[in-house]
Amino acid sequence: MTTVRQRKKINPCNQNQIKPHSEKSTKFNIQGISSPATWRMLCYIVGGMFALIFGLLMTYYVATLHENDLWFSSIKEVEREISFRTECGLYYSYYKQMLYAPSLKQGITNLIYDNKTESMRTINILARMNVYQEVILAILYKYLPFWNYLEPVYFYIYTVFGLQTMYVTALYINSWLLSGTWLSGALTALWYIVNRVDTTRVEFTIPLRENWALPFFAVQIAGITYLLRSDLTAIKERMAFIVVFISTFMFSLTWQFNQFVLLIQALVLFILDCADLIPATKVTRLYLIQVICLLVVCLLQFVNTMILGSLLLSFVLAAVLMRRLQKRYKGRNPVRRIWNLTIHVVLVLCLTVFINKITKNALNLQSDEHIFKFIQAKLGFGRTRDFDASLYLCEEAFRQLPFDTFERFSDTLLLYPYIFVLFILTLAAVTTIISNLRSPESNNTDKKEKRASFVKSDVAYNLIHTILFGCLALSTMRMKYLWTSHVCVFASFGLFSIEVWGIMLRCLRLYTPQRTSILRYSVSIFVIIYLLLKFWPRIMEELSELREFYDPDTVQLMNWIKLNTPNNAVFAGSMQLLAGVKLCTGRVLTNHPHYEDKPLRERTKQVYQIYAKRSPEDVHHILKSFGTDYVILEDSICYERRHGRGCRLRDLLDLDNGHIMDGPGDNDPDLKPSPSPRFCDEIKRDLPSYTKHFTRVFKNKTFHVYRLSRKAAVK
């Protein structure tokens, strides 16, 4: 029985008598501080601080590399703009255009009714290209006092570099969620930083769409990882769905290839659903998030038909319909369940193709056909002479992932843990699938999540994710940045995972909880120490290297155009160069690098006849049909040696025109000699047949600019 008594007065003579009580209180306070809840909170604080520190370090790293490589702070404005190569310059030009617009309304109107990006055509830039980020940044810069502290170009590049903080933090958190320890996140961030060559190219391709989109994609993956946990409360689950929705929307808004990346993610969810590794209700909700986000982006892009005709929407519709219509066998017979599952997969794929064909025919959609031609040729379904597909196939970025990538991964100790973890978890996933096939299927979500005992739902998602995106990266080097960052997450999680080490030790009959804990921490901490000791001096040396931007020929060309041509002059040339012409001079273009439009692809092929074997009358007629005033010829293209025979631009044009290629080597029997010499070479001889139509007005070591005669050539 508890009673309340009056507190006694403290007698100095009895001071020694209360010492044991004080010691007891101190012990109680220490126990309170070391309680699991307090310790967990301390871990969250320390882990969160390190996540932010690593993210900021990555931002500082790439920003310093960019400055040191170009001496960006000291070069002229035109040199800064030229440093935004190819399509990067095109995207940045719309940020610049919005900044200098007299008003916000006029700036938006100029984008919606743009007649300078493609001559003799008025196009909607907001519908055709994913440039909302440039619009938002320009509005923030104009209407908030950033201009007091930063130049417009620095506001832009620091925003993109700042997204690397979010990117690294999201990777860190994803690894932390999977492994249960923030040390795994620290190893992930370290691997991402020391493998910078293979994880990002943001420091030299700043405005590229992937540099805006991939940080949001990493947040989305971390959100899905958290969402697939089985112990979430309703509020936590709702918050996870909100994070996934916002990040999916931002990812979709900032990259034109969103539908293809989300399609692979939908395939990951479909595989996990078929294998009964994650609850069907969560799969359906994630499908719904993908569809809603794409449709909202479609509306923001003024009903972009490329999104409406995407394979993703067709696949999700087919998967949900077949899930509702087909009665799946839930009995104990594994053979019957496999047969039923096979029929389900085939029906979903066939229905996807059927829906997609109907949609594209109804919309008369041809914007993305070059991508499917490229994929078809990439998979080896016949040799293609298609000009657009060949442009991709001949570029190194769209070839297979080079072997030296794995050598660099080996040097950073990333490759071996990744293969080890991938092997262990694949075996665990296969074992789980077999176990699920042998047991009757349950409609109860809690029971279903408990059945996947060999590999948890969040781990299973990341496993299939890394496998599918790994296959994509192996086939196409340009897509490796979707995979390599996740390799860091997956390998780090595996080294710190109790489950992975437990599976291995159980197989060796050496399992004890203490041994598992010792292994997971000792091996992982050894790797962290190795990376710090080996790569910290390298990073410091890299940050101390100073270079300078140097491209005097292009600078001379841009300055000449600004000073010697009318503001409404129309320029023809290579896609890459014309993007810089638009950014640096604001002149009208005939073509540009944003290739997701069939009329533009046809126009580009026609403009590129300047590098083919065509007569001056033909070339003049073609260029005049696009309103061209000036044409820029590049020696680096006319006399290209970077690619081998059959992949040079002039070879692709010869093949498309049915002409025999230059140089020694075999030619297809249907190819014939051209009656005309190569235009870009022959025009330099200043023959009367050429000077009648073209007048040279500028020349340096790299570029030749010709003004077209006003009189149209007679065909």
Side-chain angles (χ1 to χ4, degrees), residues 216-225 244 247-249 251-252 258-273 278 283 286-287 289-291 293 312 315-316 461-462 464-466 468-469 472 482 486:
F216 294 107
F217 191 53
V219 173
Q220 187 230 37
I221 296 169
I224 292 176
T225 299
V244 172
S247 55
T248 304
F249 170 72
F251 170 76
S252 303
N258 49 40
Q259 54 175 296
F260 302 104
V261 177
L262 293 179
L263 173 64
I264 297 176
Q265 190 177 66
L267 288 172
V268 172
L269 297 171
F270 180 71
I271 292 170
L272 293 170
D273 183 28
I278 59 177
V283 172
L286 289 172
Y287 282 157
I289 286 175
Q290 288 185 330
V291 170
C293 289
L312 173 65
F315 174 78
V316 169
Y461 170 80
N462 282 271
I464 306 301
H465 178 101
T466 197
L468 291 194
F469 280 96
L472 178 65
L482 287 162
H486 195 263

Side-chain angles (χ1 to χ4, degrees), residues 47-60:
M49 287 175 57
F50 273 102
L52 185 60
I53 289 170
F54 277 114
L56 292 173
L57 279 175
M58 186 62 191
T59 293
Y60 173 78

Side-chain angles (χ1 to χ4, degrees), residues 237-451:
E237 185 174 298
R238 194 175 299 115
M239 292 301 296
F241 273 118
I242 291 172
V243 170
V244 172
F245 178 84
I246 294 173
S247 55
T248 304
F249 170 72
M250 294 301 296
F251 170 76
S252 303
L253 187 66
T254 52
W255 200 11
Q256 71 268 29
F257 295 131
N258 49 40
Q259 54 175 296
F260 302 104
V261 177
L262 293 179
L263 173 64
I264 297 176
Q265 190 177 66
L267 288 172
V268 172
L269 297 171
F270 180 71
I271 292 170
L272 293 170
D273 183 28
C274 291
D276 206 18
L277 291 174
I278 59 177
T281 53
K282 290 185 178 180
V283 172
T284 304
R285 290 178 184 177
L286 289 172
Y287 282 157
L288 188 61
I289 286 175
Q290 288 185 330
V291 170
I292 292 174
C293 289
L294 271 191
L295 291 178
V296 172
V297 172
C298 177
L299 292 175
L300 287 174
Q301 292 191 295
F302 298 81
V303 191
N304 188 323
T305 55
M306 188 173 170
I307 293 177
L308 292 177
S310 66
L311 269 175
L312 173 65
L313 294 184
S314 302
F315 174 78
V316 169
L317 181 59
V320 173
L321 278 175
M322 292 313 303
R323 180 84 186 183
R324 297 290 183 185
L325 297 177
Q326 186 186 10
K327 186 177 180 181
R328 291 176 64 173
Y329 176 70
K330 302 180 181 181
R332 292 181 178 272
N333 188 339
V335 176
R336 186 175 174 185
R337 290 190 69 178
I338 292 172
W339 174 250
N340 183 268
L341 192 60
T342 304
I343 293 175
H344 176 72
V345 172
V346 172
L347 287 175
V348 168
L349 295 179
C350 291
L351 186 57
T352 299
V353 174
F354 177 73
I355 294 173
N356 194 252
K357 285 284 186 183
I358 291 178
T359 305
K360 286 189 173 181
N361 289 335
L363 297 173
N364 192 25
L365 180 62
Q366 297 175 316
S367 299
D368 58 355
E369 65 177 11
H370 65 298
I371 298 174
F372 292 103
K373 288 179 181 178
F374 164 75
I375 295 172
Q376 184 179 356
K378 194 77 176 175
L379 295 175
F381 293 112
R383 184 182 175 189
T384 180
R385 276 193 195 171
D386 182 78
F387 177 78
D388 300 318
S390 298
L391 274 179
Y392 285 106
L393 291 168
C394 287
E395 286 298 322
E396 184 180 359
F398 292 93
R399 295 178 184 175
Q400 293 179 347
L401 191 68
F403 186 75
D404 60 0
T405 305
F406 302 105
E407 293 177 352
R408 290 190 293 272
F409 282 172
S410 300
D411 188 43
T412 59
L413 299 184
L414 176 59
L415 180 64
Y416 309 114
Y418 178 74
I419 294 174
F420 165 73
V421 176
L422 188 64
F423 177 74
I424 294 292
L425 290 179
T426 301
L427 289 180
V430 170
T431 305
T432 302
I433 292 169
I434 293 173
S435 174
N436 289 345
L437 287 173
R438 287 179 175 176
S439 60
E441 187 174 334
S442 173
N443 290 324
N444 189 298
T445 301
D446 295 331
K447 290 183 179 179
K448 184 175 285 189
E449 289 179 344
K450 290 178 182 177
R451 285 172 59 194

